[in-house]
Amino acid sequence: MPSLVIVGAQWGDEGKGKIVDLLTGQVEWVVRYQGGHNAGHTVVIGEEEFILHLIPSGVLRPGVRCVIGNGVVVDPAALVVEMDALAARGIDFTPHFHISDRAHLILPYHRAVEREAEKTKGTRKIGTTGRGIGPAYADKIARVGIRVGTLLDADLFRRVLTTNVEAMNYFLERLYGVCPSEAFSVDAIYDEYMGYAARLAPYIADTSLLVNRALDRGERVLFEGAQGTHLDVDCGTYPFVTSSSATAGGACTGSGVGPTRINRALGIVKAYTTRVGSGPFPTELTDQVGETLRQAGGEFGATTGRPRRCGWFDAVAVRYAVRVNGLSGIALTKLDVLDVFDALKICNAYRYKGELITEFPSDPLVLEQVEPVYEELPGWSGSVAGIASVDDLPKEARAYVDRIVELLGVSLDVLSFGVRRDQTVVLNNPLAL
Ligand code: IMP
């Protein structure tokens, strides 16, 4: 039975939530493997819109088992709010919900450290979501993080928390000059987190074991990536990245599943480009065209509400994503947003100091200076939002899609042209045998 990893092929916000929701109709398990509540996955079902941050998008399909894997950083306060919000809307997923005991906790001091660090960074300011994601991963890598499983051992939790709070208070005061009156209290955090422990205990498990056993039984598993390839801590536009492994490889380490058990990788590719936060963005449009894209695409952050930076489709950036994720296919999303344009541009190469480059550069300083080389294609009249098959696409829209597929050299598995489930055509089912 195939298992599939879904990743963002750009800077996040490609429309992964919709595609995950669509494909979860065919799977028994959905596993989030990295990131935290910095993500915002939007799913529209009928007239209802759901924005999921931490809980996998599979939650909206009754009976699908949802896992928060070990590679995720969990803010239990945010998780409980999300669980309550779903329950209030009649979504009863908890009988099928599991949280890895190896996932790391976000603690209140992580947000404080992030806030102070961002203030001092100058031109290297990341423009984070302010959720404490980076400092929580930093603690994990420094081997001082606190894992979700530790919530089940109150004494151990208090001991580790005490050491960390003392270190963080010292750090905040001495390095960032934070007033001692703002110091964190071990007792307050302990009491708050013991409340979460009681609430979350039934779901905490060795999820690697659960998922591998499911694969042994022949059940289908979808690994749901958050953010996108160019925000990956290793493969992304470092340092303007998030702190987790958002590429396909992260699905293995972030869920405790070996690479031989994941059969396919589907890249979610938006028909144009957006980015939130700082960092290089070669095809960015800071003019009226960019504003038109932002308005037509509703390009405002699902987590922070920040306006997203918008630009033309960048084939160099997405070809890189095809390579580093080993994509077996793509889902091209939000084609309908381009209805409004008379002409469209696709970037197929960059010019750097007079030289043409076709491979995505590793150095952000190079990326900041490249000039996009565009080819222009005609727009179409009317809307693609109501088509029933790709044959119904206006010929210019078809040419635009075909050109992207040709430039990427990868199979077009899914085409999406609106927020609703039925505004989708599946050309090759990535979960078919
Ligand atoms: P952090 O993940 O909050 O540390 O933010 C690091 C960078 O990743 C910032 O530029 C954020 O805007 C960006 N980022 C984080 N999560 C998302 C997401 O879900 N979509 C798009 N950008 C994101």
Side-chain angles (χ1 to χ4, degrees):
M1 285 289 184
S3 57
L4 175 72
V5 53
I6 289 193
V7 292
Q10 292 150 315
W11 277 276
D13 308 315
E14 298 90 353
K16 291 179 292 294
K18 172 182 167 173
I19 306 298
V20 171
D21 167 68
L22 187 83
L23 294 174
T24 43
Q26 301 176 59
V27 303
E28 284 84 18
W29 295 74
V30 180
V31 182
R32 260 290 296 273
Y33 60 85
Q34 47 71 230
H37 65 311
N38 48 350
H41 294 165
T42 307
V43 182
V44 175
I45 301 172
E47 297 302 308
E48 280 202 86
E49 181 182 80
F50 297 84
I51 299 178
L52 298 155
H53 299 286
L54 202 47
I55 297 174
S57 304
V59 74
L60 303 171
R61 296 271 183 183
V64 171
R65 291 195 172 270
C66 288
V67 173
I68 293 182
N70 56 272
V72 175
V73 282
V74 178
D75 183 332
L79 177 57
V80 163
V81 166
E82 201 168 323
M83 289 168 72
D84 289 345
L86 285 167
R89 294 174 76 176
I91 312 275
D92 181 21
F93 66 102
T94 50
H96 314 287
F97 181 45
H98 311 280
I99 310 167
S100 171
D101 52 2
R102 291 183 175 87
H104 277 249
L105 289 170
I106 297 180
L107 287 123
Y109 49 75
H110 290 133
R111 282 188 295 279
V113 171
E114 178 170 14
R115 188 182 59 234
E116 298 303 324
E118 280 279 274
K119 276 188 206 160
T120 61
K121 276 193 180 136
T123 56
R124 278 170 76 98
K125 189 175 158 70
I126 311 291
T128 69
T129 59
R131 302 290 190 269
I133 305 291
Y137 277 113
D139 274 5
K140 168 177 166 171
I141 300 302
R143 296 161 295 184
V144 295
I146 308 182
R147 304 200 296 182
V148 167
T150 308
L151 286 174
L152 303 178
D153 182 338
D155 290 341
L156 178 62
F157 181 74
R158 183 183 270 284
R159 271 205 311 280
V160 191
L161 180 70
T162 303
T163 310
N164 285 7
V165 168
E166 281 169 4
M168 285 296 172
N169 281 340
Y170 180 88
F171 189 64
L172 284 165
E173 188 187 331
R174 298 297 169 96
L175 188 66
Y176 293 124
V178 174
C179 180
S181 65
E182 290 178 38
F184 286 96
S185 143
V186 172
D187 285 339
I189 301 178
Y190 175 84
D191 290 345
E192 182 186 345
Y193 275 61
M194 283 302 106
Y196 302 135
R199 176 85 193 269
L200 300 178
Y203 315 112
I204 300 174
D206 180 347
T207 54
S208 161
L209 191 62
L210 297 179
V211 175
N212 277 281
R213 282 190 177 152
L215 287 164
D216 292 342
R217 290 193 298 271
E219 293 171 13
R220 290 201 243 198
V221 181
L222 194 152
F223 298 90
E224 176 183 6
Q227 288 82 46
T229 299
H230 292 289
L231 290 174
D232 180 283
V233 69
D234 286 280
C235 302
T237 47
Y238 191 91
F240 303 102
V241 292
T242 190
S243 299
S244 66
S245 301
T247 44
C252 293
T253 52
S255 55
V257 165
T260 50
R261 311 213 75 174
I262 303 180
N263 308 87
R264 290 185 194 146
L266 179 70
I268 313 303
V269 178
K270 188 149 61 181
Y272 52 95
T273 316
T274 60
R275 168 163 209 171
V276 199
S278 333
F281 178 180
T283 61
E284 181 171 15
L285 296 163
T286 50
D287 56 7
Q288 186 52 44
V289 181
E291 186 55 35
T292 304
L293 263 178
R294 187 174 303 115
Q295 296 301 334
E299 296 295 353
F300 298 89
T303 297
T304 59
R306 290 181 289 178
R308 296 180 184 142
R309 300 158 65 193
C310 297
W312 293 121
F313 187 81
D314 184 343
V316 184
V318 182
R319 267 202 302 268
Y320 173 82
V322 173
R323 163 157 58 94
V324 299
N325 292 294
L327 296 183
S328 48
I330 60 161
L332 189 67
T333 63
K334 299 189 86 162
L335 186 66
D336 54 304
V337 172
L338 300 180
D339 283 347
V340 293
F341 292 102
D342 295 331
L344 302 164
K345 288 184 184 175
I346 294 178
C347 164
N348 183 23
Y350 301 143
R351 201 173 294 285
Y352 178 64
K353 295 189 172 164
E355 300 274 316
L356 209 59
I357 46 177
T358 54
E359 296 298 341
F360 195 76
S362 319
D363 185 345
L365 295 177
V366 174
L367 200 58
E368 259 168 26
Q369 293 172 53
V370 297
E371 275 174 45
V373 178
Y374 287 117
E375 51 189 64
E376 196 165 310
L377 283 83
W380 49 89
S381 57
S383 172
V384 299
I387 63 162
S389 93
V390 281
D391 297 333
D392 299 339
L393 284 173
K395 72 175 188 323
E396 297 85 358
R398 182 69 199 240
Y400 183 78
V401 172
D402 287 350
R403 184 63 182 142
I404 286 176
V405 171
E406 183 183 9
L407 289 170
L408 301 182
V410 70
S411 147
L412 177 67
D413 288 352
V414 180
L415 183 66
S416 166
F417 37 86
V419 293
R420 296 197 317 264
R421 277 178 178 165
D422 64 354
Q423 290 175 310
T424 322
V425 172
V426 178
L427 296 107
N428 298 303
N429 181 359
L431 282 158
L433 283 173

